[in-house]
Amino acid sequence: MSVSAPPDEQIPVCVDLDGTLVTGDLLWESLFVLLGREPHLAFFVPFWLFHGKAAFKAKIADRIEIPPDTLPYHLELIIFLKQCRLDGRPLVLTTASDWRYAKAVADHLKLFDQVIATEGGINYSGNIKLKRIQQVCGETFDYVGNSASDLPLWAAARASYVVNASNSVLKRATNVCHPVRVFPRTGNYLRSLVRLVRPMQWAKNLLLFVPLIMSHQLESSKWLQVLFAFVAFSACASGTYIINDLTDIYSDRKHPRKHRRPLASGEISVPMGLLLSSALITGSVVATLIVGSSTIALFLIGYIAATLTYSYMLKNKLFVDVMMLAGLYAYRLLMGAMVADIRLSHWLLVFSVFLFLSLALAKRYTELAPAVVLGQLNSRRGYRAEDLQLLGHLGPTCGYLACLVFLMYIEGDTATMLYPRPAFLWFVGPLFLYWISRVWFLAHRGELSDDPLVFAVKDRHTYVIGLMTLLFVLLAVWPL
């Protein structure tokens, strides 16, 4: 006697979590957040793996809670699942993530009737997940997944749905089943990769050329050396930006602008971000060693050490974080001088200290101001809401001190030696004063981007001021 198939409304829909319902991967994300908060645990992570994947995931879940309200959900899939629920179909969340993470997501969405997730030392992935689904839901079920580990589940399911899968996985899925529906990846993947490396941030590395420009050096060989350093430094810096994004992924999702970053939005997976970061950092250092530029290689290694120290230790220290950001700006000047074999003027160093401190304070101010208004200030960053006003005072003060140093420099012996007509430099002072004041006016209005130097690259006022400054400098340099 044959058993009739259950009606459609009784067939459960089993939905994968990582990469499917959520475009990110909760294990990788929580691991990097954990290392960002407690970097010393990096030593213990390999030993946790000896006890199996389930125990490894439990160790991380013991220490890190996910914020389910900020996760990057696949909205088109959620609309589909809501329709299934309206049709009366049971929904089951099935995942290899730790049970606590799956439960948090299920409680937040209020869509699922049951949860199958890693617990009790069992990692529910692949065939193990399939057996558990068959125990709970029976032999007839529909399955929604995204990765190669879901192939046996698609093959066993009555109806298969493929979500956010790569082309290779989609091809393999069509070999084992006939997907009822394919939910494609959202956004342009290549564009997301470009955004991930932040090419606009390379503008900061133009500081490498400042020592050459300020010393009036025209030697082509030195310019080529600094140009190579610029390329290597840009690649290395992009790699460290990705690491910083990995450790900040939860806090970025709560930020009004940063939640659109490729890692925070789930457009790029954490493993891909880690792979790209490793390639950029390793490639930049190896390339400098191959061409025999040990000086650049040492500076890159020093920069990597400094940025990792900032990301994992100093980012949450009151005012130390700002000093570190200013120091990383100044580091570029020092590197440019060393590569070109130029001695930095003490005037330039003092001017840079105050200018970069002002810009670093502006960066921190623009990050904290929206969080204060929305009541979402992260207490771990070391700042309180009442500190915002003080930052707003310190920043312009440092900028005006930089302007004062520049004006004092005009009357010094160094300026007289480099500029036949230094009097024209006095016109640069008001231009700089206007520019730094405008930066802080925009910061107070909430119209400044997170990084003032990146803002300057996009700001037409900055270009006008820059051209006028160049004109007066040329007039000062032009011989009588």
Side-chain angles (χ1 to χ4, degrees), residues 124-391:
Y124 286 110
S125 178
N127 287 310
I128 298 177
K129 182 197 282 190
L130 173 59
K131 291 180 181 178
R132 183 58 179 162
I133 288 175
Q134 291 172 335
Q135 290 173 357
V136 174
C137 304
E139 296 291 329
T140 306
F141 63 92
D142 293 352
Y143 186 75
V144 185
N146 77 297
S147 67
S149 63
D150 294 318
L151 289 171
L153 292 110
W154 280 321
R158 184 205 66 148
S160 301
Y161 299 84
V162 180
V163 181
N164 202 34
S166 64
N167 290 332
S168 61
V169 170
L170 180 58
K171 184 177 180 179
R172 293 174 67 185
T174 55
N175 291 333
V176 300
C177 68
H178 297 285
V180 175
R181 181 174 176 181
V182 174
F183 295 82
R185 286 182 171 181
T186 57
N188 187 304
Y189 194 72
L190 181 59
R191 185 179 300 169
S192 298
L193 284 174
V194 172
R195 287 174 50 225
L196 182 62
V197 300
R198 301 193 208 175
M200 290 300 296
Q201 295 283 350
W202 297 347
K204 292 189 288 190
N205 301 329
L206 293 173
L207 292 170
L208 290 165
F209 293 95
V210 170
L212 269 176
I213 297 171
M214 297 305 294
S215 62
H216 301 177
Q217 294 275 357
L218 300 178
E219 228 178 293
S220 59
S221 60
K222 290 188 176 182
W223 281 87
L224 288 174
Q225 290 172 3
V226 177
L227 179 61
F228 177 77
F230 171 83
V231 174
F233 200 94
S234 296
C236 182
S238 290
T240 60
Y241 293 147
I242 295 173
I243 294 177
N244 187 64
D245 286 352
L246 288 171
T247 59
D248 279 348
I249 196 165
Y250 284 178
S251 58
D252 282 352
R253 285 174 180 161
K254 298 178 182 179
H255 195 276
R257 290 189 301 272
K258 294 182 180 180
H259 73 277
R260 292 189 288 267
R261 287 179 173 176
L263 287 170
S265 64
E267 296 172 13
I268 302 296
S269 68
V270 173
M272 174 55 72
L274 183 60
L275 178 63
L276 183 58
S277 174
S278 302
L280 288 169
I281 292 174
T282 305
S284 61
V285 175
V286 171
T288 56
L289 292 174
I290 289 175
V291 299
S293 186
S294 57
T295 300
I296 299 177
L298 287 173
F299 268 96
L300 291 181
I301 293 171
Y303 178 79
I304 295 166
T307 52
L308 291 180
T309 301
Y310 168 76
S311 296
Y312 288 99
M313 297 178 62
L314 302 181
K315 184 186 292 186
N316 300 325
K317 304 298 182 182
L318 178 66
F319 200 70
V320 175
D321 62 335
V322 175
M323 296 178 67
M324 189 67 179
L325 285 174
L328 290 174
Y329 286 139
Y331 191 87
R332 292 165 167 85
L333 282 182
L334 181 61
M335 180 176 176
M338 293 293 290
V339 170
D341 193 22
I342 294 172
R343 182 177 178 273
L344 277 180
S345 163
H346 68 277
W347 286 108
L348 179 58
L349 284 173
V350 176
F351 171 81
S352 301
V353 166
F354 286 119
L355 173 60
F356 294 151
L357 192 55
S358 179
L359 296 179
L361 286 163
K363 175 180 172 65
R364 186 61 70 236
Y365 183 93
T366 56
E367 289 177 347
L368 296 177
V372 170
V373 172
L374 297 173
Q376 298 176 348
L377 186 63
N378 186 349
S379 59
R380 296 187 67 255
R381 294 304 295 264
Y383 292 92
R384 300 176 182 173
E386 57 267 29
D387 297 333
L388 194 63
Q389 186 177 11
L390 180 59
L391 291 177

Side-chain angles (χ1 to χ4, degrees), residues 18-37:
D18 296 307
T20 305
L21 182 64
V22 174
T23 54
D25 187 297
L26 301 186
L27 173 62
W28 281 100
E29 293 176 3
S30 55
L31 173 60
F32 273 94
V33 171
L34 175 62
L35 295 179
R37 295 179 184 177

Side-chain angles (χ1 to χ4, degrees), residues 21 68-69 73 78 81-86 89-93 102-115:
L21 182 64
D69 56 320
Y73 295 100
I78 287 181
L81 295 176
K82 286 182 177 179
Q83 184 59 52
C84 290
R85 189 169 182 83
L86 288 174
R89 300 189 65 183
L91 300 180
V92 183
L93 183 60
K103 185 69 165 55
V105 170
D107 289 344
H108 172 68
L109 294 177
K110 295 180 173 57
L111 282 175
F112 298 97
D113 302 286
Q114 287 181 286
V115 174

